[in-house]
Amino acid sequence: MYTSRQLIAAKKVFQPHTTFLRRVFFARERYSDKSQVAIDKMTANKRKAVFVSPKVAGKVQRQDGYETRLVTPPYIKESTEIDPEEFSDRIFGEDLSTPLTPEQRYNATVMIINEDQHKAIDRTEEKMCADLIVTGKCEVEESELHGAFELDYGRNEANTIKLIGASRWSQLPADYDITSDFEEYVDLSTGLSDVILMGRKAFALFRKFDQVKEAMDKTKANGEASITFTPQQKKDEDVQFKGFWGDFEIYVYNGKYDDEDGNEQLYFPSEGVAVGSYNYDGLFAYGAIKDIKAMKNGMVKSKRYPKIIEIDEPSMEYMTQQSSPLPIMPDANEWVYVEVDGPV
């Protein structure tokens, strides 16, 4: 049977499954051995900075524009059954001419489950990042370890815009002054805006405007983007760099996941546009792993904790993957989100 340390090392032999928003805009990571994470917010010169401190305890403290709040990160515990009967017959991908032994089938299955669980948690983190960029908050579903709650970073209402009726992009003429709209979005942002994220529908409408056709620089679209992609990342993340428009880099993001009912969903709305910064310094703080063996093995302060649980009667194993991820926005108002083609 594999140990947790062996399972963590085993993941490295697989091509990593990457997620676009998580790796680019929430790339930093911090780890805590506490069940709660302390978020310090300091307001100075209209700029909010967020720090993570695992040592702060107590109630919310306020002094001289300084606030600390304790947040219990959501807790994820993936669990998959490993049934010994499955290894008596051929497994998926097994060569018919050179069959594997039951032990080899077991080893291959454990590695597949380990990677699948990692990817499932990756997708949850990506969905959190997408929701925060779109609304400045995200909903955390109820689990066995905590109730449902909303993680809200207090974005200004003016930074979340819904175009309706005649103001929708689909209703605007080609000669509309779209540049002025984006200048207003930049003014709403508290950051240095240099990136525009778009869904596919939004980009299809965006490129109809004369000002876009005249100023869109596609010649640099293949080599000079600030955000780089490996061939595998291009395949996994379903994101395209479309070129430069003035000072902005344009990216179209069409990443998908399956919901609990097996229906395919978009992380980022097809009719959505988000104006932000390539250098946005979001981060993930990871709370303590709540597991006795993790504590005994000195692995409480971990991003992920995989474990195999063995049951003698009936003979069975379960593989679990635990994580306590908390996405943190240094300043939710650096992002401006626009639904460009909402309802009539």
Side-chain angles (χ1 to χ4, degrees):
M1 187 171 72
Y2 289 90
T3 67
S4 294
R5 292 188 186 277
Q6 288 172 329
L7 290 168
I8 290 173
K11 183 179 182 293
K12 297 178 182 178
V13 305
F14 289 86
Q15 181 67 34
H17 171 75
T18 56
T19 46
F20 175 58
L21 302 177
R22 167 70 171 86
R23 78 175 178 89
V24 175
F25 302 110
F26 292 82
R28 287 196 298 144
E29 296 178 358
R30 296 291 184 271
Y31 308 95
S32 173
D33 56 4
K34 311 293 183 184
S35 60
Q36 291 182 311
V37 172
I39 302 176
D40 295 346
K41 180 183 292 184
M42 183 179 294
T43 303
N45 298 322
K46 298 184 179 179
R47 177 71 167 84
K48 294 179 181 177
V50 175
F51 310 94
V52 177
S53 170
K55 298 180 180 179
V56 178
K59 297 182 180 180
V60 172
Q61 306 164 24
R62 289 186 177 89
Q63 63 176 60
D64 298 329
Y66 175 85
E67 176 185 322
T68 298
R69 62 170 173 158
L70 293 177
V71 179
T72 301
Y75 204 87
I76 297 171
K77 190 172 183 179
E78 287 281 300
S79 182
T80 306
E81 180 183 299
I82 304 174
D83 189 338
E85 292 187 5
E86 296 178 359
F87 310 121
S88 60
D89 298 319
R90 176 180 175 271
I91 62 172
F92 177 79
E94 183 176 337
D95 191 334
L96 291 171
S97 61
T98 55
L100 300 176
T101 65
E103 180 183 6
Q104 290 171 324
R105 290 171 184 150
Y106 168 83
N107 290 335
T109 300
V110 167
M111 292 298 98
I112 291 170
I113 292 172
N114 184 47
E115 185 71 0
D116 285 347
Q117 290 181 343
H118 272 285
K119 288 182 177 180
I121 298 175
D122 283 345
R123 294 186 189 103
T124 296
E125 293 184 356
E126 180 74 355
K127 183 62 167 62
M128 288 178 170
C129 295
D131 290 347
L132 290 175
I133 288 174
V134 171
T135 66
K137 55 188 176 183
C138 66
E139 300 288 340
V140 177
E141 297 177 0
E142 182 179 5
S143 74
E144 295 178 0
L145 297 174
H146 58 72
F149 66 92
E150 182 181 76
L151 183 62
D152 190 346
Y153 285 103
R155 173 185 290 169
N156 294 336
E157 291 185 6
N159 283 41
T160 305
I161 301 166
K162 180 178 289 188
L163 303 180
I164 61 174
S167 65
R168 293 176 296 154
W169 280 7
S170 61
Q171 306 303 307
L172 299 176
D175 61 356
Y176 177 77
D177 184 11
I178 194 68
T179 302
S180 294
D181 284 0
F182 276 89
E183 289 174 349
E184 292 180 11
Y185 303 153
V186 170
D187 288 341
L188 288 171
S189 171
T190 55
L192 180 62
S193 301
D194 54 13
V195 164
I196 301 175
L197 305 179
M198 294 189 179
R200 282 188 174 175
K201 180 178 180 180
F203 182 73
L205 295 169
F206 175 71
R207 62 186 178 183
K208 79 172 184 179
F209 295 113
D210 293 339
Q211 291 177 347
V212 175
K213 294 176 182 177
E214 294 167 1
M216 189 81 172
D217 183 357
K218 301 177 184 178
T219 61
K220 300 178 181 179
N222 292 321
E224 297 188 21
S226 298
I227 303 171
T228 58
F229 304 91
T230 66
Q232 186 67 33
Q233 286 168 345
K234 287 182 179 179
K235 177 182 178 181
D236 286 347
E237 293 175 343
D238 202 357
V239 60
Q240 294 179 311
F241 172 55
K242 292 296 187 179
F244 288 82
W245 183 56
D247 295 329
F248 294 107
E249 296 181 21
I250 309 291
Y251 295 87
V252 173
Y253 184 40
N254 197 52
K256 304 180 184 72
Y257 68 97
D258 289 341
D259 63 20
E260 292 183 355
D261 297 322
N263 300 315
E264 192 174 72
Q265 304 289 345
L266 291 169
Y267 288 115
F268 189 82
S270 184
E271 67 280 3
V273 171
V275 179
S277 172
Y278 160 68
N279 290 314
Y280 189 73
D281 201 21
L283 64 96
F284 264 79
Y286 291 90
I289 299 297
K290 300 174 182 178
D291 187 278
I292 293 295
K293 286 191 175 180
M295 181 183 66
K296 290 180 178 179
N297 295 327
M299 301 179 71
V300 169
K301 203 173 178 179
S302 301
K303 177 178 179 178
R304 310 268 170 88
Y305 182 70
K307 184 176 73 171
I308 292 179
I309 302 170
E310 186 174 359
I311 300 173
D312 291 332
E313 293 295 339
S315 180
M316 189 73 66
E317 284 184 350
Y318 292 88
M319 183 169 178
T320 65
Q321 193 88 226
Q322 300 178 60
S323 184
S324 186
L326 178 71
I328 296 177
M329 301 191 84
D331 185 353
N333 290 313
E334 288 191 30
W335 288 98
V336 176
Y337 176 78
V338 187
E339 182 181 323
V340 301
D341 209 56
V344 178

